[in-house]
Structure formats: structure tokens, C-alpha cells
């Protein structure tokens, strides 16, 4: 998708906007770049416009546009105003959860529905923060360069290393059951991943009081997600008044692949359309 840079009151924001019809706002997760596509681009062919906004520290979006979810939620409303978009359905992935929640809590009139896909609704635990700083802090570029090199030399080993942090199953069993399309999905994901300065912001994000969310919410989670624990789904369900949890029968954080991927797609569309 062609990227656009918008000069907001707090700095540059990168976004892409394509399609025709009601607008869906897509907020990608941690390590995701403009090239990362977890299949959501297909929503354009379902009769929707897709507004994809790169979060602070990712792509060309400057950190100054929002060091906290609340700050960036305000910046997003500037983009909506610039594009003359009254309201949107928000789709938030993984680490983008707190930003989407801040948007729903502080700017409820700009959102009509919220979809959280394997998204964080709780703060990061200290152990995960330490690991994140170790691997994706100053040495983040080296880590991703090594992963991409490993994909060329030993793709199976590269996939196993990444998936070991995303599935509660035996990683050997998980990888052995991947279809060729699912394996390609993971390759493309790894090739497009960048931490930038964004991931170090993500790990310090706090979640606002979700009981203040008034719009309908759909949360899609799997119990086998090692990265975003299922407790995030339970927290969402217990705090948000209008909330539906769809338990995905997926074997990892990557709920967009595998045998249940079609059901995830159908459930998302059903929620958007109704």
C-alpha cells in the first residue's frame, strides 16, 4: 500500500488509506512494519476502506506522536479529522491493544466497534519486559538481521526459534503440522518485521479502565498463545460491558493461520457487518 506522511501537531505519522466503503482502522502489533500483512488487506475486497496507521516508533511515525496510548489516540483523531472520517471500526492486533482501548475510552464518538485480535488488555509483566529490552532494545536491528539470515540458511530453525515464544505446544510438533501456505505466512511475517523504536514504547504501555468502553467489543484469543496469555481475554470479558469473546482454536499467537483461520475471518466480518 502507498504510504502517506501526515504532519500532526506532535510530529509525522505514516498511514495508508485504500478501498471504498465504511472505514476500518487497523492498528498493527509489535514489530510490524508497513509490509506486514496478517491477511487484513483482504478487507478492501469485502467492501471496506482500510486505514492503516503506523504506531509511534514504527515505519516513519515519530515517537513524539505518542509515547503513551492516550497520546497517540489523540493523534489518530487528528488523522480522522484530516481525512474527514466521522467514525471507524477499529481492529487492533497484539501490542496495539492499549492504544485501541485508549481510543475507545477517550474518544468514544469516533469509534462504532472495536475488535481486539490476540491483543493485550493488561500490562506487560516484568520478566517479559526484561527479555524485550535484552533482545529488542539497542540490539534489535542485529536480532532481526540474524533472523532473516537464518531464514535463508536454515528456515526451519528460524521458524522454530520464533514460534517457541508464540505457542504453548511443543514447537517441533507445531512446525511439523504447518501447511506450505502457513509456513510462507510466517516467512513473510519475519521478513517484514522491524522493532524500530516502537517496541520499547509498547512494553511500557498501560491500559485504561476498560469498564469505560461503551461500544461493542469482539475479542479473539486462543488458549495456546504463549505471547498474549488468555488472561487478557478474561480481563476484557470481565471489564467491558458489551463484550464478546471468540475462543479461536488456534495453536499459537498467529490466529490468522491454521485450520481455524477461515472462522476467524468469518467471525470478524460477521461482527463488522451486524
Amino acid at each position: 500500500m502507498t504510504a502517506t506522511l501526515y504532519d500532526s501537531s506532535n510530529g509525522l505519522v505514516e498511514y495508508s488509506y485504500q478501498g471504498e466503503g465504511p472505514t476500518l482502522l487497523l492498528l498493527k502489533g509489535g514489530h510490524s512494519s508497513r509490509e506486514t500483512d496478517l491477511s487484513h488487506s483482504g478487507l478492501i475486497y469485502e467492501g471496506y476502506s482500510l486505514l492503516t496507521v503506523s504506531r509511534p516508533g514504527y515505519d516513519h511515525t515519530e515517537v513524539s506522536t505518542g509515547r503513551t496510548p492516550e497520546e497517540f489516540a489523540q493523534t489518530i483523531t487528528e488523522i480522522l479529522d484530516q481525512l474527514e472520517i466521522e467514525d471507524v471500526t477499529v481492529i487492533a492486533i497484539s501490542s496495539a491493544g492499549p492504544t485501541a482501548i485508549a481510543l475507545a475510552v477517550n474518544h468514544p464518538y469516533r469509534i462504532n466497534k472495536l475488535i481486539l485480535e490476540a491483543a493485550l488488555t493488561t500490562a506487560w509483566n516484568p520478566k517479559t519486559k526484561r527479555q524485550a529490552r535484552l533482545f529488542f532494545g539497542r540490539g534489535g536491528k542485529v536480532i532481526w538481521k540474524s533472523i532473516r539470515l537464518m531464514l535463508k540458511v536454515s528456515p526451519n530453525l528460524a521458524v522454530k526459534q520464533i514460534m517457541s515464544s508464540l505457542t504453548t505446544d511443543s514447537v517441533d510438533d507445531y512446525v511439523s503440522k504447518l501447511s506450505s501456505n502457513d509456513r510462507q505466512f510466517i516467512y513473510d511475517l519475519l521478513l517484514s518485521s522491524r522493532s524500530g523504536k516502537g517496541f520499547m514504547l509498547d512494553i511500557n504501555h498501560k491500559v485504561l479502565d476498560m469498564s469505560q468502553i461503551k461500544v461493542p467489543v469482539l475479542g479473539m484469543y486462543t488458549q495456546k498463545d504463549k505471547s498474549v496469555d488468555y488472561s487478557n481475554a478474561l480481563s476484557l470479558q470481565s471489564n467491558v460491558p458489551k463484550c464478546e469473546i471468540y475462543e479461536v482454536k488456534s495453536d499459537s499467537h498467529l490466529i490468522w493461520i491454521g485450520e481455524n483461520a477461515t472462522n476467524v475471518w468469518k467471525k470478524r466480518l460477521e461482527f463488522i457487518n451486524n
Side-chain angles (χ1 to χ4, degrees):
M1 296 184 183
T2 303
T4 299
L5 286 180
Y6 171 65
D7 191 8
S8 76
S9 59
N10 291 313
L12 294 176
V13 183
E14 180 177 323
Y15 71 85
S16 63
Y17 190 37
Q18 289 192 336
E20 297 180 359
T23 302
L24 306 176
L25 169 62
L26 177 63
L27 299 173
K28 297 180 184 179
H31 309 299
S32 296
S33 71
R34 66 179 69 85
E35 287 87 17
T36 305
D37 182 11
L38 303 180
S39 75
H40 295 84
S41 62
L43 290 165
I44 294 172
Y45 306 105
E46 297 287 347
Y48 293 96
S49 297
L50 188 64
L51 172 60
T52 306
V53 181
S54 297
R55 295 187 298 112
Y58 293 105
D59 299 322
H60 286 133
T61 299
E62 296 178 332
V63 169
S64 59
T65 60
R67 293 180 179 277
T68 68
E70 300 93 307
E71 290 174 357
F72 193 58
Q74 179 62 48
T75 299
I76 289 173
T77 65
E78 286 190 39
I79 297 174
L80 297 181
D81 290 340
Q82 170 70 15
L83 296 173
E84 298 182 342
I85 300 172
E86 185 174 344
D87 55 43
V88 295
T89 289
V90 179
I91 301 172
I93 301 167
S94 196
S95 298
T99 299
I101 291 168
L103 196 55
V105 170
N106 291 342
H107 308 277
Y109 55 94
R110 306 310 296 265
I111 294 181
N112 49 61
K113 292 178 182 178
L114 172 59
I115 303 173
L116 296 170
E117 302 186 4
L120 285 166
T121 64
T122 60
W124 295 65
N125 65 61
K127 180 181 179 181
T128 304
K129 282 187 178 183
R130 288 194 297 271
Q131 292 175 337
R133 291 191 185 99
L134 177 63
F135 292 107
F136 300 108
R138 293 182 178 179
K141 288 184 179 180
V142 176
I143 292 294
W144 286 115
K145 186 176 181 180
S146 299
I147 291 172
R148 283 186 278 276
L149 176 60
M150 194 182 301
L151 272 176
K152 294 180 180 179
V153 178
S154 180
N156 214 47
L157 180 59
V159 171
K160 284 184 178 181
Q161 284 204 335
I162 293 299
M163 295 311 303
S164 65
S165 64
L166 300 179
T167 178
T168 59
D169 278 354
S170 159
V171 70
D172 289 326
D173 290 343
Y174 179 85
V175 172
S176 68
K177 292 185 289 187
L178 289 172
S179 69
S180 57
N181 286 339
D182 290 344
R183 193 176 290 267
Q184 187 62 53
F185 180 102
I186 297 174
Y187 291 170
D188 292 342
L189 172 63
L190 296 180
L191 288 172
S192 69
S193 293
R194 307 284 189 279
S195 298
K197 297 179 180 178
F199 196 62
M200 288 300 98
L201 294 178
D202 289 350
I203 64 175
N204 291 311
H205 284 175
K206 296 179 180 179
V207 179
L208 297 185
D209 180 5
M210 292 188 291
S211 67
Q212 299 303 307
I213 298 177
K214 305 304 180 186
V215 299
V217 177
L218 170 65
M220 296 199 285
Y221 296 84
T222 173
Q223 299 227 24
K224 293 188 176 183
D225 190 338
K226 191 174 180 180
S227 175
V228 177
D229 189 83
Y230 197 74
S231 59
N232 287 272
L234 300 178
S235 178
L236 183 66
Q237 187 174 43
S238 61
N239 285 287
V240 177
K242 300 177 184 178
C243 178
E244 176 186 358
I245 298 297
Y246 177 66
E247 185 177 333
V248 184
K249 301 304 180 183
S250 171
D251 293 330
S252 78
H253 180 64
L254 304 181
I255 63 173
W256 311 276
I257 61 175
E259 295 179 355
N260 202 242
T262 300
N263 291 332
V264 169
W265 181 266
K266 289 179 179 178
K267 185 64 182 180
R268 183 195 298 121
L269 281 179
E270 176 189 302
F271 181 75
I272 294 171
N273 292 331
N274 291 338

